[in-house]
Every structure is written in C-alpha cells, then in structure tokens.
Amino acid sequence: MDVRAGRHCVFMLHVHLVFVTKYRKAAFTDAMLTSLKNYFEKVCDDFECSIEEFNGEKDHVHLLIYYPPKVSISKLVNSLKGVSSRMLRKDYANELNRIYWKGVLWSPSYFAGSVGGAPLSVLKQYIEQQ
C-alpha cells in the first residue's frame, strides 16, 4: 500500500477517470495517445498527482490517478481536458481539423469513480485491457 502523509493527514486516494471524444468520434492514433499521456503527466505534476495507469482507444481514454486530498477532482479534470485538448490540437492540427472544425476535442461529460476497496492491481488490469 502506498500510503502518503501530509502535514495533518495520512491518505491513499485514487480516482478512475474516463474522457470521451466529442460525438464519440474515432480521433486518436497511437501517436496521439502517447502524446496525451505526456500531457496528462505534466498536468498531474502541477497538481502533485501521479498517473498510475493510462490507456486509450480511438474515442476515449482511461486514467488511474493518485491524488492528494487538497486536489479537487473537478479542477483536475478541467485542467487535464483543457491542456490536453489545446496541446493535441496544436501538435496534430492537420489530423484533428478534419474531424473537429470547432476546436472542441472532448465531450463535456466525464466519468470519475473512486477506487475505494478494490485492489489497484485489479483496476490496473482492467484499464490495460480497455
């Protein structure tokens, strides 16, 4: 167990996030997914979080993130989606402009699930197989 301690608390918090592309369009290539992981890692560093597992398909991504109690999930999600959309549209403009002409990559909705008592190995295996 990776239990961490802050000044006034001891914690072990994980969240499973799923982001879906706008209109569920198959937009991602393998290179884009690799870039997405890098963008997500940079955002997580800013929030003092870490990505435990990442995987994706052409129309969605799964993340398992370890985060401290001071982080608001909604703010983390907002930054993850905003930064990744901006950077991906900048780096892969030719490919994405054919699919998304209004500059919107992600659907406004997302899934966030707490990872309560499930063993992390089971969750990591689930995300790997998606």
Side-chain angles (χ1 to χ4, degrees):
M1 286 186 0
D2 187 20
V3 177
R4 297 185 191 171
R7 292 183 74 185
H8 302 286
C9 65
V10 177
F11 61 93
M12 186 179 72
L13 300 170
H14 292 85
V15 64
H16 175 201
L17 299 173
V18 180
F19 302 151
V20 178
T21 58
K22 185 82 169 178
Y23 308 120
R24 215 46 208 220
K25 291 193 178 186
F28 301 139
T29 62
D30 289 340
M32 288 180 192
L33 290 171
T34 302
S35 295
L36 275 173
K37 183 177 182 189
N38 293 331
Y39 307 146
F40 289 148
E41 286 173 342
K42 289 176 185 172
V43 171
C44 283
D45 286 345
D46 292 342
F47 279 84
E48 298 175 17
C49 301
S50 62
I51 295 179
E52 300 289 317
E53 194 65 46
F54 170 85
N55 203 347
E57 294 185 21
K58 294 181 185 271
D59 63 351
H60 70 281
V61 295
H62 289 262
L63 297 108
L64 180 63
I65 297 179
Y66 189 98
Y67 67 99
K70 66 182 178 180
V71 171
S72 165
I73 298 298
S74 61
K75 289 183 181 178
L76 176 62
V77 166
N78 188 40
S79 288
L80 288 168
K81 289 172 80 173
V83 169
S84 64
S85 176
R86 191 168 41 257
M87 296 300 293
L88 202 65
R89 284 184 287 117
K90 184 180 105 181
D91 293 345
Y92 297 93
N94 293 336
E95 294 95 326
L96 290 176
N97 285 341
R98 284 183 269 148
I99 300 170
Y100 298 108
W101 57 93
K102 292 185 180 180
V104 177
L105 174 65
W106 297 113
S107 166
S109 58
Y110 62 92
F111 169 80
S114 63
V115 186
L120 288 179
S121 60
V122 172
L123 290 163
K124 285 183 180 181
Q125 182 181 11
Y126 170 78
I127 291 173
E128 284 175 5
Q129 294 172 355
Q130 291 300 306

